[in-house]
């Protein structure tokens, strides 16, 4: 048997780097597993599409945020200390996030230790009173901090305007008012394997990974088999006046029932078109629009700047720039580390049910034509606009004035 004369030195015949390829499998439990095989570190995430605040029922407002704060707490016969000590002993870094559309638990670790911690992403929470107390306190702190940010408050307002302030999607995400019963009821529906997405990077053998995951999660909560609730776009207005702020933050959005690649291109098109006026585009699932801000003395110019930006002609040059920017953003998201790659894989599966590789992502932008952008832009602008405004907005026109311009 050959041995190295000088162990630890770089190989004289190293294997060339290769682009990663992803594989997708749906287990009998309803869990969708997506893995890729080339990352040097493993990020493993479990995303629950029915655990976002948009899935909260009447009276459950705040349950999504508090449940996010309950991540890696007591469950399945394990204490909070034991769960976190196990993660620490494996050298993993845990994280959790949630928004209106889903909730995600995950960790980043060496590939050799990736699969063993998977059960900790799908424990059956026992809602120990001290865990719930601490989670509510943490959620309350996050609500207080969020309310200090004009951008976060504006985001809450644009969803209220778009979907109605009393709808699950339109109600504030940052809320901690849910009772323990409501928190548990929400979790029993949203945090189950059925319909969840498990993404893992740096996995060489997809089939073996799926087999082991199925065994490890055999006793995890199944959750509800009902699909995630669909939000109904309304198109309205939400204003929060704060004259002492001395600044106005304004967002105008439209319903965008188009693929994420097209939404990204439209976002960057608006940013390119509004560059001189200080208007930037934004997009999220179901919405695309623009943002503008100005000090009190310049609020009167916001209306014309926004309307001029959103009615700009989609010229070949502008579309080309927008495509390049959108494609670059997508490629950088895949190349920003294993955590970003896992998020991109999950987003692809949530949207289309599949994810293959970076080449396919790039192709989805390359095939978009000037005509496609023009048609999508026309369709988007035919929907009813949603206006959100925060700050010194006394002189800002109302939503009807903006709507009449389209």
């Amino acid at each position: 048997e050959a041995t190295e004369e000088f162990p630890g030195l770089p190989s004289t015949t190293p294997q060339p780097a290769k682009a990663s390829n992803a594989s997708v499998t749906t287990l009998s439990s309803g869990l969708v597993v997506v893995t890729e095989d080339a990352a040097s570190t493993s990020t493993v995430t479990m995303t629950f599409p029915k655990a976002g605040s948009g899935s909260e029922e009447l009276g459950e407002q705040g349950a999504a945020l508090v449940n996010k704060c309950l991540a890696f707490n007591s469950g399945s016969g394990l204490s909070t200390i034991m769960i976190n000590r196990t993660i620490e002993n494996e050298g993993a870094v845990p994280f959790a996030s949630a928004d209106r559309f889903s909730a995600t638990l995950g960790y980043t670790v060496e590939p050799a230790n990736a699969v063993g911690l998977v059960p900790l992403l799908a424990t059956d929470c026992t809602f120990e009173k001290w865990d719930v107390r601490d989670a509510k306190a943490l959620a309350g702190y996050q609500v207080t901090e969020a309310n200090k940010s004009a951008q976060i408050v504006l985001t809450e307002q644009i969803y209220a305007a778009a979907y109605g302030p009393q709808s699950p999607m339109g109600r504030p995400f940052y809320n901690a008012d849910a009772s323990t019963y409501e928190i548990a009821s929400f979790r029993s529906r949203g945090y189950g394997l059925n319909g969840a997405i498990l993404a893992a990077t740096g996995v060489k053998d997809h089939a073996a990974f799926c087999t082991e995951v199925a065994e490890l999660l055999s006793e995890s909560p199944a959750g509800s088999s009902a699909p995630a609730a669909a939000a109904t776009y309304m198109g309205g207005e939400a204003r929060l006046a704060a004259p002492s702020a001395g600044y106005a933050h304004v967002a105008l959005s439209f319903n965008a029932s188009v693929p994420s690649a097209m939404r990204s291109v439209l976002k960057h098109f608006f940013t390119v078109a509004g560059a001189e006026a200080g208007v930037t585009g934004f997009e999220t699932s179901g919405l695309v629009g623009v943002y503008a801000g100005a000090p009190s003395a310049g609020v009167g110019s916001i209306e014309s700047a926004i309307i001029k930006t959103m009615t700009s002609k989609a010229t070949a040059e502008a579309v080309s720039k927008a495509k390049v920017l959108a494609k670059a953003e997508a490629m950088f998201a895949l190349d920003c580390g294993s955590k970003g790659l896992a998020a991109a894989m999950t987003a692809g599966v949530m949207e289309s049910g599949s994810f293959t590789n970076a080449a396919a992502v790039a192709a989805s932008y390359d095939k978009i034509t000037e005509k496609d952008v023009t048609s999508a832009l026309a369709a988007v602008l035919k929907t009813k606009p949603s206006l959100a405004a925060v700050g010194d907005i006394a002189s800002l026109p109302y939503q009807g004035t903006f709507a009449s311009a389209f």
Side-chain angles (χ1 to χ4, degrees), residues 260-261 323 326-334 341 344-345 348 354-368:
S260 59
K323 284 178 57 178
K327 180 179 176 181
E329 184 178 55
M331 293 297 100
F332 283 133
L334 297 177
L341 178 56
M345 291 161 56
S354 66
F355 183 90
T356 51
N357 51 37
V361 174
S364 68
Y365 289 91
D366 292 336
K367 70 181 182 181
I368 295 175

Side-chain angles (χ1 to χ4, degrees), residues 57 60 63 67 127 179-191:
E57 293 184 352
E60 291 181 343
N67 269 295
F127 301 98
S179 67
T180 302
Y181 172 80
E182 291 159 350
I183 295 167
S185 176
F186 177 81
R187 194 177 188 93
S188 67
R189 296 195 319 274
Y191 281 78

Side-chain angles (χ1 to χ4, degrees), residues 23 32 45 48 70 102-103 157 234 240 268 280 287 312 315 339 362 367 388:
S23 303
V32 180
T45 63
F48 302 95
L70 278 167
S102 63
Q157 294 296 306
M234 299 174 62
L240 184 60
H268 286 287
T280 57
L287 298 177
S312 297
T315 63
K339 188 175 179 180
K367 70 181 182 181

Side-chain angles (χ1 to χ4, degrees), residues 70-354:
L70 278 167
F72 305 110
N73 275 242
S74 303
S76 300
L78 301 173
S79 68
T80 299
I81 293 176
M82 179 61 72
I83 289 173
N84 286 277
R85 177 61 61 85
T86 302
I87 294 172
E88 181 181 338
N89 287 345
E90 294 296 325
V93 179
F95 56 87
S97 63
D99 54 25
R100 284 172 165 78
F101 306 98
S102 63
T104 297
L105 282 74
Y107 53 84
T108 299
V109 71
E110 289 297 316
N113 300 331
V115 70
L117 297 175
V118 167
L120 301 184
L121 302 179
T123 57
D124 188 4
C125 185
T126 51
F127 301 98
E128 302 293 349
K129 60 182 180 181
W130 47 87
D131 287 334
V132 175
R133 177 200 63 205
D134 292 345
K136 286 184 175 181
L138 177 58
Y141 171 77
Q142 293 180 357
V143 170
T144 300
E145 293 301 302
N147 288 335
K148 295 177 183 178
S149 168
Q151 285 74 23
I152 293 178
V153 173
L154 184 67
T155 299
E156 302 277 56
Q157 294 296 306
I158 195 64
Y159 279 104
Y163 298 103
Q166 300 305 317
S167 70
M169 193 65 73
R171 292 195 296 260
F173 168 75
Y174 285 98
N175 187 292
D177 293 340
S179 67
T180 302
Y181 172 80
E182 291 159 350
I183 295 167
S185 176
F186 177 81
R187 194 177 188 93
S188 67
R189 296 195 319 274
Y191 281 78
L193 297 183
N194 200 328
I197 301 167
L198 179 69
T201 64
V203 175
K204 304 300 182 184
D205 190 334
H206 175 78
F209 182 83
C210 289
T211 299
E212 192 165 359
V213 164
E215 294 175 357
L216 290 171
L217 298 179
S218 60
E219 297 182 4
S220 296
S224 171
S225 60
T232 301
Y233 181 83
M234 299 174 62
E237 182 171 13
R239 300 167 74 101
L240 184 60
S244 61
Y247 203 90
H249 300 270
V250 182
L252 187 74
S253 70
F254 291 82
N255 188 26
S257 301
V258 295
S260 59
M262 179 59 78
R263 290 201 310 271
S264 183
V265 171
L266 291 177
K267 176 189 77 170
H268 286 287
F269 169 74
F270 290 140
T271 299
V272 170
E276 293 184 2
V279 178
T280 57
F282 71 86
E283 65 88 13
T284 184
S285 182
L287 298 177
V288 65
V290 297
Y291 162 81
S296 300
V299 174
S301 64
I302 291 180
E303 176 196 358
S304 59
I306 286 179
I307 292 174
K308 180 180 178 181
T309 296
M310 301 203 77
T311 55
S312 297
K313 183 180 179 181
T315 63
E317 180 182 6
V319 170
S320 177
K321 287 182 178 179
K323 284 178 57 178
V324 169
L325 291 169
K327 180 179 176 181
E329 184 178 55
M331 293 297 100
F332 283 133
L334 297 177
D335 197 39
C336 68
S338 61
K339 188 175 179 180
L341 178 56
M345 291 161 56
T346 300
V349 172
M350 287 184 69
E351 180 176 14
S352 64
S354 66

